[in-house]
Amino acid sequence: MNINERKNWIRLLMAVNKKQIKQLAEQITSGWALRYKSLPQSGLGMLKLRDGALQEPFYLGEIPIASAWVELTLPNGDKAEGAAQVMDDDKDLAEALAVCDAVLANQLVGHDLLTVLLQQGANKLVAEQRNRKQMLKRTHVDFSLLGAEGEYDEKN
Amino acid sequence: MGYVAIKGGGLAIKGAEDTLDYLRCEQGDSGTPLDMDTIEHQLRFLHGRVLSEGGLYHPKLAALAIKQSLGDTLEAAFALRAYRSTKPRLLETPVLDTSEMRVTRRISAAFKDIIGGQMLGATTDYALRLMRTELLDETPEAFRAIAKHWFNDERSDSDIPDTFPKVLESLRADGLLADVDKAAVEEPFDITREPLIFPVPRSAALATMARGETGSLLAIAYSNMRGYGDVHPTVAELRVGYIPVMLPHPVTGELIEAGEVLMTECEIVAMYEGDDDNAKPTFSLGYGACFGNNEVKAIAMAILDRSLQTGMKNGPTNPSEDPEFVLLHVDGIDSMGFCTHYKMPHYVTFQSDMDRLRTTQDKADAKSEGAMS
């Protein structure tokens, strides 16, 4: 997963420790002004799915959602926007992720610290992906006809 | 006779609450409290069931609900459902497509050779159902060794894709399924905001069954399997995996992944039918899906989807084809609530029943005395 693409940042950051994200966002923006373009909020979202048979949409159920959209004003007056919508019910986390999004998108001071977190997240996701693929690999069915050489013949 | 307000149960109710919590902690010094991760991972199927029946994909709260309800699935789902009712609705996702699912299990009963292959994943399908007595005194070391061994296994392979094509798509490409028009479909029915007033669209049925109680769905689907119906399904594909939840980035508008949801999905092929207008006959289909890993529920739902489609089209000929019968009786919270309300005081109504019985008995006595004299 490319850690330089904005579309991947939320997923990568969500893979690391949430407390770490909040602390780092607070540390980076210390002394900066923060204005909400939309208030951080938490609630629910309806998960809309296309059924695989007749291809009709329906609601599978609900998911927790937290969102935030912030504008940062740096000491020199420059402004930067960032936002996050994440499957969680912690709006403080959404705000921290929005700050991270702004810092990374605008290459602000502290983006290098966040890049380290992105890499940590990428490593964790790679490990998770490897684990899931192992489940598939180990349980892949190798069909063979009865009588042909295969698992049964080898063991008996 | 009017209703009477009574008091005096407050202390007893508080005592009952404390007693339940005492039972939860009854092990005392020899026990350790269940943590949320333990419930989510070691009681995976129970956890998945509560997630789907609660209708809210919140793994941490589902684990908490299981803990506080001492493992009662109905109570746990009720707690999750109650929680969701306190939260504001912020958005709905774009229509997600399960062909994007990051699969951990994928099987087909229709073909042995499916594109991408069959992967059994984690399943009890081939278990002998013999007691694993070695787990009675499992040590933490033995427990951890299993996970450690798994991670050390180098058999994993990066050439396995994350996603797989659907089995149904190959049938569709062969002209064995009816064409679908994705653009022609209306907005889905929202069962959390609209009451079920029949007839309801199929999207209402799918949403209701997706958060329906597993046993209820199974029981009605089983009636169809045994002969009160004729779906005769073949599981084209059953898959378990994680579907990425995509939401637009508020600044760029680009779809980004906000998280992922573990779900089970089942697509069944049933008997073929021809249209009235002499169109080419095609297989009929059924669909089941739910949060978490719950294959019985997904298969039962797919069978009921198929039978309900028949009932909606031709009129029901058995209970499993009747949308009103099925959809009003599969919700665990509704049915549990109605059932358990009978435990609540019915002093006035029962007093009335007794009065009526005594009056009727008196009349019967008078009648028999009159007949004898």
Side-chain angles (χ1 to χ4, degrees):
Chain A
M1 181 177 283
N2 188 342
I3 66 168
N4 297 315
E5 287 189 33
R6 192 174 193 174
K7 67 176 184 181
N8 295 329
W9 293 342
I10 297 297
R11 185 174 180 217
L12 290 166
L13 290 172
M14 282 294 284
V16 299
N17 186 289
K18 294 174 185 174
K19 200 172 168 184
Q20 211 176 345
I21 295 168
K22 287 183 188 174
Q23 282 174 346
L24 194 51
E26 195 176 329
Q27 179 192 325
I28 290 172
T29 55
S30 172
W32 299 357
L34 184 150
R35 187 174 74 88
Y36 296 124
K37 292 207 73 172
S38 72
L39 284 173
Q41 53 184 344
S42 70
L44 303 178
M46 289 294 274
L47 196 154
K48 191 156 53 173
L49 200 66
R50 187 181 306 287
D51 97 77
L54 304 186
Q55 306 285 306
E56 295 175 3
F58 75 103
Y59 294 116
L60 182 67
E62 290 170 297
I63 52 174
I65 292 288
S67 68
W69 187 349
V70 300
E71 183 185 74
L72 303 174
T73 306
L74 278 62
N76 64 5
D78 286 352
K79 293 182 188 302
E81 268 186 54
Q85 290 197 109
V86 62
M87 260 183 67
D88 202 289
D89 51 13
D90 183 353
K91 59 186 177 187
D92 294 335
L93 174 66
E95 182 180 326
L97 288 167
V99 167
C100 295
D101 182 58
V103 171
L104 286 164
N106 296 279
Q107 300 277 296
L108 304 180
V109 175
H111 80 273
D112 50 334
L113 298 172
L114 286 171
T115 305
V116 174
L117 281 192
L118 290 175
Q119 192 56 57
Q120 282 177 15
N123 294 342
K124 199 168 172 191
L125 290 178
V126 166
E128 189 176 83
Q129 189 184 37
R130 193 187 318 129
N131 195 26
R132 289 178 185 174
K133 287 190 176 186
Q134 186 153 301
M135 288 185 201
L136 299 178
K137 180 81 175 174
R138 288 178 69 149
T139 61
H140 185 274
V141 184
D142 182 13
F143 285 103
S144 58
L145 296 176
L146 195 64
E149 282 193 15
E151 288 177 11
Y152 185 84
D153 298 320
E154 285 165 13
K155 288 179 183 171
N156 294 278
Chain B
M1 184 191 306
Y3 283 95
V4 289
I6 55 170
K7 63 177 184 176
L11 287 176
I13 290 169
K14 177 71 174 71
E17 194 180 323
D18 294 344
T19 304
L20 188 66
D21 214 32
Y22 164 71
L23 284 184
R24 189 178 66 81
C25 309
E26 195 179 24
Q27 289 169 288
D29 290 342
S30 66
T32 48
L34 284 169
D35 67 81
M36 300 307 108
D37 281 347
T38 300
I39 294 171
E40 186 176 343
H41 292 98
Q42 294 190 50
L43 302 176
R44 182 176 292 268
F45 297 112
L46 168 66
H47 183 258
R49 184 167 167 172
V50 170
L51 276 176
S52 78
E53 294 175 12
L56 172 64
Y57 191 84
H58 199 312
K60 189 177 172 185
L61 288 185
L64 175 62
I66 289 168
K67 178 174 179 170
Q68 73 183 38
S69 66
L70 282 66
D72 183 325
T73 54
L74 292 167
E75 283 290 346
F78 196 166
L80 210 52
R81 202 79 74 84
Y83 170 82
R84 70 148 294 278
S85 71
T86 67
K87 305 295 284 184
R89 168 79 51 82
L90 299 186
L91 53 84
E92 64 178 53
T93 67
V95 183
L96 304 179
D97 195 323
T98 53
S99 61
E100 299 299 317
M101 186 191 287
R102 296 166 185 143
V103 170
T104 59
R105 166 165 161 77
R106 175 181 189 245
I107 56 170
S108 172
F111 304 103
K112 70 179 177 67
D113 295 316
I114 56 176
I115 298 172
Q118 301 206 31
M119 284 89 166
L120 303 180
T123 179
T124 56
D125 286 354
Y126 306 94
L128 295 174
R129 274 77 178 188
L130 299 176
M131 288 295 173
R132 289 183 61 193
T133 50
E134 74 274 17
L135 297 184
L136 282 172
D137 295 310
E138 187 178 30
T139 63
E141 293 74 25
F143 178 86
R144 288 172 196 139
I146 292 169
K148 193 176 175 186
H149 173 71
W150 175 269
F151 281 116
N152 287 341
D153 195 317
E154 293 301 323
R155 278 189 285 176
S156 62
D157 206 327
S158 61
D159 65 359
I160 298 176
D162 288 327
T163 59
F164 294 86
K166 292 293 192 76
V167 171
L168 285 188
E169 290 315 307
S170 61
L171 288 174
R172 211 179 299 278
D174 286 346
L176 299 173
L177 304 181
D179 290 332
V180 290
D181 181 2
K182 291 183 184 179
V185 176
E186 61 194 31
E187 269 298 294
F189 188 97
D190 183 357
I191 59 164
T192 67
R193 295 204 163 159
E194 300 291 331
L196 292 179
I197 298 171
F198 296 88
V200 293
R202 179 167 172 262
S203 60
L206 291 176
T208 302
M209 291 192 287
R211 70 175 197 178
E213 201 266 335
T214 307
S216 305
L217 290 166
L218 175 62
I220 304 178
Y222 186 44
S223 74
N224 188 293
M225 296 176 222
R226 285 197 67 251
Y228 293 92
D230 59 353
V231 169
H232 303 294
T234 300
V235 173
E237 188 168 355
L238 176 72
R239 47 167 71 186
V240 179
Y242 296 84
I243 184 161
V245 175
M246 308 303 289
L247 293 173
H249 190 287
V251 177
T252 66
E254 186 181 18
L255 285 179
I256 59 165
E257 185 174 331
E260 62 177 9
V261 163
L262 175 65
M263 62 171 289
T264 308
E265 182 185 49
C266 178
E267 292 161 357
I268 60 155
V269 173
M271 292 187 300
Y272 66 83
E273 57 185 30
D275 282 341
D276 299 333
D277 54 0
N278 294 324
K280 190 168 66 172
T282 51
F283 280 126
S284 58
L285 299 170
Y287 183 77
C290 60
F291 288 148
N293 189 341
N294 191 342
E295 296 177 13
V296 164
K297 178 170 175 175
I299 297 168
M301 175 175 163
I303 292 169
L304 289 175
D305 174 43
R306 180 61 244 147
S307 62
L308 289 176
Q309 287 179 58
T310 303
M312 287 172 183
K313 185 179 174 188
N314 306 324
T317 57
N318 59 62
S320 64
E321 290 178 359
D322 185 341
E324 194 164 337
F325 182 85
V326 174
L327 302 180
L328 292 184
H329 296 109
V330 294
D331 189 82
I333 315 304
D334 285 353
S335 54
M336 179 265 269
F338 210 153
C339 180
T340 55
H341 105 277
Y342 288 116
K343 295 185 291 186
M344 299 294 115
H346 283 65
Y347 306 140
V348 175
T349 50
F350 188 63
Q351 190 69 47
S352 169
D353 286 344
M354 287 201 303
D355 288 347
R356 280 208 307 276
L357 176 59
R358 286 187 178 122
T359 303
T360 308
Q361 283 179 337
D362 289 345
K363 283 181 181 171
D365 287 345
K367 195 175 176 184
S368 61
E369 281 170 14
M372 287 174 69
S373 60

